[in-house]
Amino acid sequence: MEGGGTYNRSSGVQASDLDRAIAAFTQAAREVPLPPSAEPVLLADYGSSQGRNSLRPMKAAIEMLRTRLGPERPLCVTHTDLPGNDFATLFETLAQDADSYLAGDAAVFASAVGRSFYQRILPPASVSLGWSSWAVQWLSRAPAPLPDHVQVACSNDMAAKQAFARQAAEDWRDFLAARSFELRPGGRLVVLTMARDDSGEFGYRSLLQALVDELRDMVAAGFLRADEWARMTIPTVGRNRDEWLAPFASGASFEGLSAVHFEQVEGHDRFWAQLQADADTRAFGANWAAFSRASVFPTLAAALEPASDEGRRSAFMDRLEAGVAGRLAAAPERMRIPLALLVIAKPQA
Amino acid sequence: MEGGGTYNRSSGVQASDLDRAIAAFTQAAREVPLPPSAEPVLLADYGSSQGRNSLRPMKAAIEMLRTRLGPERPLCVTHTDLPGNDFATLFETLAQDADSYLAGDAAVFASAVGRSFYQRILPPASVSLGWSSWAVQWLSRAPAPLPDHVQVACSNDMAAKQAFARQAAEDWRDFLAARSFELRPGGRLVVLTMARDDSGEFGYRSLLQALVDELRDMVAAGFLRADEWARMTIPTVGRNRDEWLAPFASGASFEGLSAVHFEQVEGHDRFWAQLQADADTRAFGANWAAFSRASVFPTLAAALEPASDEGRRSAFMDRLEAGVAGRLAAAPERMRIPLALLVIAKPQA
């Protein structure tokens, strides 16, 4: 992710589809068994980025827990992300944002963990409520180069597609196994994530096309080297229904966890809705380009050499953003945003 | 603190005097009563910065706790600092440093809290062992401008000196009160910090003189504006024995805490020792200037306007570092480093 609050400012796409997931999280907060009275109740946010999109779900769950526990019971919220995440912006958001769940509740204690959620990163049987939005589509690594695209859903390289599918299956199992270790008996985990729908659609087609066209033009213009372009791979996947539910095949439990809810959600393209209202194609392009810059440009820029050349990195980001914005403005299309919503439960002991 | 690992690389001064404090922390780990068997044991590190200097004390305490608890009991370590701290480097240090306490112990769980330790930032009665090194000399704010210096110990402005002393007393009480809330009954807190010795000496004289001389030259040369220089104040204080012990006057407890140990420690000027061995005055100046850059230059640079001018900020830091290095190399003196070591205990219920 890009630092300095970029993700917080340009994550409105992710924010607009949280309502269904927040409702599921609030219901989990209503139903989850709570630890003995001396212990704090721990909520975990897996893949927080800079935290802006975590405020609403955490606040909703905390409000529900307060109706059950009263105002004084200590609640802990732990936000996790990769070590290099912009945790300073996360903590500044928690301290200053008007929507922060810390405001007005002195018995909530926030913390962060900078470790990959594909391993055990919180104490055993400690988490009552887990939340993860727009995070588990990021693989632990890119398992293969993509010779013809930056996103595996748009690639025609069958070997690469198989390698990504294998990695996606392994990472999802690893994610669930680590959460099973961390969840308390009776604990719940709500996951909202990018996905492929039942027709196999990953979405974002015109955005991804604009991105690749612009990168290819940069190579043709000599701005980008061929080996840099070859290394550019976004390690995200859209798993489909079968892939999400594979660990729980035939209703079985996996590592002691059950999938108690699965739902496909179609995200709302709010930039498209805005375009219908104001006919501002330039804003439509700029908004999607800014979303793209915040979420995936840093991953692409990591392929630049030398890595220390901040000036070139920033020129690359600016040029790519302007190029993508211009292409989308010239031929605006409504973006498909296929999502999956899962609720995972650990049975009571 | 400056980001990008600067503090980790240039905090050797702080590291060299940790031995006595680590011994006290290890003893606390040997003696502290432990929570019931289901609960993790929580160690808190108050004012971690980028974490490098926290690895040894945490590792020593964890090794001691492992002899008491065996290899499987979950231990949690929470590092706290201000919201804007460089937590990415902290987490990268924990993940990659060969001395990390996470290496080889899968039952230790690290986290961070980005909130000021002058308030309650961890759950009530949760912390078994607290650690704070080179941190509580930082006040919550500069209570007055210093018209004649950047460090109150070198100022002759009596009104400012009194304002700093009042703030220091208030902040120390606030720090202790918040820790009293967080410590478990029987918990211990070890504090190593800059201090004034019994003669009133704060130390670092030639370094502070070089700093102020260089800043004054920058003003004379027109590089620094007079109003910028006037705003430059380092909000650190060296409290003396009476000031450390004031909340516990006549052996009384304060907020339920007792001071079970107080000791003045004279820090070792390892750059001076190196100079005796190699006669390299340039290295002596460069080492102290790098220490100073990592610990206090960011505070000074915060007075520059406009704050957004990264180029000028970085030119200021470079010029100040070079100037300080040159002045110290021209007239090297052994640096006095007065420290205080306290062990605070919360009685068992």
Side-chain angles (χ1 to χ4, degrees):
Chain A
M1 296 299 171
E2 198 171 7
T6 307
Y7 188 79
N8 268 356
R9 285 192 301 278
S10 298
S11 51
V13 171
Q14 294 92 331
S16 66
D17 300 303
L18 289 177
D19 290 356
R20 277 291 303 124
I22 290 175
F25 196 51
T26 309
Q27 185 184 340
R30 183 186 297 117
E31 297 170 353
V32 69
L34 296 168
S37 64
E39 291 178 42
V41 180
L42 175 57
L43 293 77
D45 171 27
Y46 295 101
S48 63
S49 183
Q50 296 162 354
R52 184 73 191 81
N53 283 342
S54 306
L55 300 181
R56 278 178 58 219
M58 289 299 149
K59 195 165 190 169
I62 287 168
E63 284 173 2
M64 174 57 68
L65 290 172
R66 285 280 172 239
T67 67
R68 299 177 61 191
L69 293 165
E72 291 178 15
R73 177 75 169 269
L75 306 178
C76 295
V77 180
T78 300
H79 302 275
T80 88
D81 212 305
L82 292 174
N85 183 51
D86 181 3
F87 290 103
T89 296
L90 168 73
F91 284 119
E92 281 155 4
T93 298
L94 294 178
Q96 294 162 12
D97 196 294
D99 293 331
S100 171
Y101 58 80
L102 289 179
D105 192 332
V108 181
F109 300 91
S111 62
V113 169
R115 301 174 79 183
S116 163
F117 55 37
Y118 291 117
Q119 55 184 322
R120 299 167 171 190
I121 54 176
L122 291 170
S126 63
V127 176
S128 290
L129 291 170
W131 167 267
S132 181
S133 74
W134 289 80
V136 297
Q137 72 264 13
W138 289 93
L139 297 179
S140 60
R141 66 188 184 102
L146 295 175
D148 56 343
H149 209 282
V150 293
Q151 163 53 245
V152 65
C154 305
S155 169
N156 293 309
D157 186 288
M158 287 314 292
K161 286 172 104 72
Q162 285 166 9
F164 271 74
R166 277 194 305 271
Q167 188 69 49
E170 181 184 325
D171 283 348
W172 178 229
R173 287 192 306 267
D174 285 349
F175 179 84
L176 291 170
R179 300 300 80 76
S180 174
F181 173 83
E182 296 165 357
L183 280 171
R184 293 177 58 85
R188 300 285 177 95
L189 170 66
V190 173
V191 177
L192 179 71
T193 170
M194 288 165 68
R196 293 205 320 287
D197 68 16
D198 286 342
S199 72
E201 177 63 45
F202 175 73
Y204 314 95
R205 284 195 187 197
S206 59
L207 177 61
L208 289 163
Q209 192 61 51
L211 200 55
V212 164
D213 288 347
E214 188 62 29
L215 291 170
R216 288 211 169 100
D217 275 9
M218 285 184 185
V219 176
F223 180 79
L224 208 57
R225 298 200 318 254
D227 64 301
E228 293 173 323
W229 154 248
R231 278 195 302 274
M232 287 185 181
T233 301
I234 304 171
T236 57
V237 291
R239 299 176 183 87
N240 65 20
R241 178 192 303 264
D242 288 347
E243 290 165 331
W244 289 120
L245 297 177
F248 313 99
S250 324
S253 73
F254 174 75
E255 298 268 349
L257 299 178
S258 306
V260 295
H261 183 81
F262 176 83
E263 180 181 344
Q264 289 175 327
V265 181
E266 177 67 27
H268 171 65
D269 182 351
R270 66 187 193 116
F271 303 140
W272 179 257
Q274 184 185 323
L275 177 65
Q276 304 315 300
D278 63 16
D280 185 346
T281 53
R282 211 185 53 83
F284 176 81
N287 282 328
W288 271 111
F291 160 81
S292 188
R293 178 178 184 136
S295 55
V296 302
F297 284 17
T299 300
L300 300 173
L304 299 177
E305 278 188 346
S308 58
D309 188 342
E310 281 294 332
R312 180 152 181 265
R313 181 178 190 277
S314 130
F316 167 77
M317 307 263 280
D318 290 346
R319 184 163 168 168
L320 188 57
E321 183 176 5
V324 167
R327 287 168 195 270
L328 292 175
E333 281 179 34
R334 178 176 171 183
M335 218 68 73
R336 291 285 320 280
I337 306 176
L339 301 169
L341 171 62
L342 293 102
V343 182
I344 311 288
K346 183 166 174 174
Q348 284 203 258
Chain B
M1 298 298 170
E2 199 173 7
T6 307
Y7 188 80
N8 268 356
R9 284 192 302 277
S10 298
S11 52
V13 171
Q14 294 93 330
S16 67
D17 301 303
L18 288 178
D19 291 355
R20 279 288 304 123
I22 290 174
F25 196 51
T26 309
Q27 186 184 340
R30 183 188 297 119
E31 295 170 356
V32 69
L34 296 168
S37 64
E39 291 178 41
V41 180
L42 175 57
L43 292 77
D45 171 28
Y46 295 101
S48 63
S49 183
Q50 295 162 354
R52 184 73 191 79
N53 284 341
S54 305
L55 300 182
R56 278 177 58 219
M58 290 299 149
K59 195 165 190 171
I62 287 167
E63 284 173 3
M64 174 58 67
L65 290 172
R66 285 280 172 239
T67 68
R68 298 178 63 190
L69 294 164
E72 290 178 16
R73 178 75 170 269
L75 304 179
C76 295
V77 180
T78 301
H79 302 274
T80 87
D81 212 304
L82 292 173
N85 183 51
D86 181 3
F87 290 104
T89 296
L90 169 73
F91 285 119
E92 281 155 4
T93 298
L94 294 178
Q96 293 163 12
D97 196 293
D99 292 331
S100 171
Y101 57 80
L102 290 179
D105 192 332
V108 180
F109 300 91
S111 63
V113 170
R115 302 174 78 183
S116 163
F117 55 37
Y118 292 117
Q119 54 183 323
R120 299 169 170 187
I121 54 177
L122 292 170
S126 63
V127 176
S128 290
L129 291 171
W131 167 267
S132 181
S133 75
W134 290 80
V136 297
Q137 72 264 13
W138 289 93
L139 297 179
S140 61
R141 64 188 186 103
L146 294 176
D148 56 343
H149 210 283
V150 294
Q151 162 54 243
V152 67
C154 305
S155 169
N156 293 308
D157 187 289
M158 288 314 292
K161 287 172 102 73
Q162 285 166 10
F164 271 74
R166 276 194 304 272
Q167 189 68 50
E170 180 184 324
D171 283 348
W172 178 228
R173 288 193 305 268
D174 285 349
F175 179 84
L176 290 170
R179 300 300 81 75
S180 174
F181 174 82
E182 296 165 358
L183 279 172
R184 293 177 58 84
R188 300 286 176 95
L189 170 66
V190 173
V191 176
L192 179 72
T193 170
M194 288 165 69
R196 293 205 319 286
D197 68 16
D198 286 342
S199 72
E201 177 64 46
F202 176 73
Y204 315 94
R205 284 194 187 197
S206 58
L207 177 60
L208 289 163
Q209 192 61 51
L211 201 54
V212 164
D213 288 347
E214 188 62 30
L215 290 169
R216 287 210 168 102
D217 276 9
M218 285 184 183
V219 175
F223 180 80
L224 207 57
R225 297 199 320 253
D227 64 300
E228 292 174 324
W229 153 248
R231 278 195 302 274
M232 287 185 180
T233 301
I234 305 170
T236 57
V237 291
R239 299 175 183 89
N240 65 21
R241 180 192 301 262
D242 288 348
E243 290 165 331
W244 289 119
L245 297 177
F248 313 99
S250 323
S253 74
F254 174 76
E255 297 268 350
L257 299 179
S258 306
V260 296
H261 182 80
F262 176 83
E263 179 181 345
Q264 289 175 327
V265 181
E266 176 67 29
H268 171 64
D269 182 353
R270 66 187 193 116
F271 303 141
W272 179 258
Q274 184 184 325
L275 177 64
Q276 304 315 302
D278 63 14
D280 186 345
T281 54
R282 212 185 54 82
F284 176 83
N287 282 328
W288 271 111
F291 161 81
S292 189
R293 177 177 185 137
S295 54
V296 301
F297 284 17
T299 301
L300 300 173
L304 299 177
E305 281 190 341
S308 57
D309 189 342
E310 281 294 333
R312 180 152 180 265
R313 181 178 190 277
S314 129
F316 167 77
M317 309 262 281
D318 291 346
R319 185 164 167 167
L320 189 56
E321 184 176 6
V324 167
R327 288 168 194 270
L328 292 176
E333 279 178 36
R334 179 177 170 184
M335 218 68 76
R336 292 284 320 279
I337 307 176
L339 301 169
L341 171 62
L342 292 102
V343 182
I344 311 286
K346 183 166 175 174
Q348 284 203 256

